[in-house]
């Protein structure tokens, strides 16, 4: 194999609202935590659940999108690469942290979840949020290259329900 690969794919829930800041040169950067869960049986056969927390960093247009649309508890797909940062703490101990540099983000979950989250953060009813989201999407600029391309006109699609699943 020629070369190497540094690719991370995560699906999880936001631990807090993204923190959107700007570098001195004006580049937007969003930081947030993402929780992924793992279920397993321990040696005694008891069901256990482990939560892993990931520090996510998004830059430029993707950072702006994350800052605008993501909220605590939102289910998202994140694709990116892992980066380690090393430093010495005040005691002189070597410390390392890891962060995921997001290159792609996809919001998951139902439309109703998104509308409830938007209404709760904006202090509006879900219906008012849905109307504003629809108006925003009609007038919004084209998505950044880091977003997945839309598969079809969203106004022609109906929401997938449990009845649509073949099993």
């Amino acid at each position: 194999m020629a070369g190497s690969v540094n690719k991370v794919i995560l699906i999880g829930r936001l631990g807090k609202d993204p923190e959107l800041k700007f570098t001195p040169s004006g580049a937007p950067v969003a930081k947030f935590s993402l929780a992924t869960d793992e279920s397993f049986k321990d040696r005694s056969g008891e069901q256990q659940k482990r939560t892993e927390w990931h520090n996510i960093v998004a830059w430029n247009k993707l950072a702006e999108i994350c800052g605008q649309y993501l909220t605590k508890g939102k289910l998202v797909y994140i694709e990116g690469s892992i980066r380690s940062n090393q430093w010495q703490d005040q005691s002189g101990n070597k410390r390392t942290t890891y962060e995921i540099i997001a290159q792609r983000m996809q919001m998951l979950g139902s439309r109703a979840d998104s509308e409830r989250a938007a209404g709760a953060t904006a202090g509006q009813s879900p219906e008012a949020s849905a109307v504003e989201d629809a108006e925003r999407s009609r007038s919004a600029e084209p998505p950044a290259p880091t977003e997945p391309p839309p598969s079809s006109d969203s106004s022609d699609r109906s929401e997938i329900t449990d009845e649509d699943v073949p099993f």
Side-chain angles (χ1 to χ4, degrees), residues 127-139:
E127 296 79 13
S129 297
V131 169
E132 285 185 12
D133 288 346
E135 290 173 358
R136 228 187 339 256
S137 67
R138 276 188 231 112
S139 63

Side-chain angles (χ1 to χ4, degrees), residues 160-167:
I160 296 174
T161 64
D162 290 339
E163 296 173 6
D164 297 324
V165 179
F167 50 90

Side-chain angles (χ1 to χ4, degrees), residues 41-48:
K41 287 187 179 179
D42 62 14
R43 290 183 179 171
S44 64
E46 296 290 321
Q47 190 70 25
Q48 300 290 324

Side-chain angles (χ1 to χ4, degrees), residues 74 96 111 113 129 143:
K74 180 83 175 143
T96 305
R111 230 179 242 161
D113 290 341
S129 297

Side-chain angles (χ1 to χ4, degrees), residues 27-101:
V29 58
K31 294 184 178 187
F32 55 93
S33 60
L34 187 77
T36 55
D37 296 321
E38 173 186 13
S39 295
F40 61 95
K41 287 187 179 179
D42 62 14
R43 290 183 179 171
S44 64
E46 296 290 321
Q47 190 70 25
Q48 300 290 324
K49 183 177 176 183
R50 177 183 303 146
T51 300
E52 190 72 35
W53 288 94
H54 311 274
N55 296 315
I56 311 295
V57 180
W59 290 88
N60 302 316
K61 185 66 177 173
L62 183 58
E64 292 174 346
I65 291 167
C66 289
Q68 183 176 5
Y69 293 104
L70 298 184
T71 56
K72 179 180 178 178
K74 180 83 175 143
L75 184 66
V76 295
Y77 166 94
I78 298 287
E79 189 174 311
S81 59
I82 192 165
R83 178 173 47 183
S84 62
N85 294 312
Q86 296 180 346
W87 78 97
Q88 283 189 345
D89 65 13
Q90 293 176 344
S91 303
N93 299 319
K94 187 177 179 180
R95 300 288 183 175
T96 305
T97 58
Y98 298 92
E99 57 190 17
I100 306 303
I101 307 303

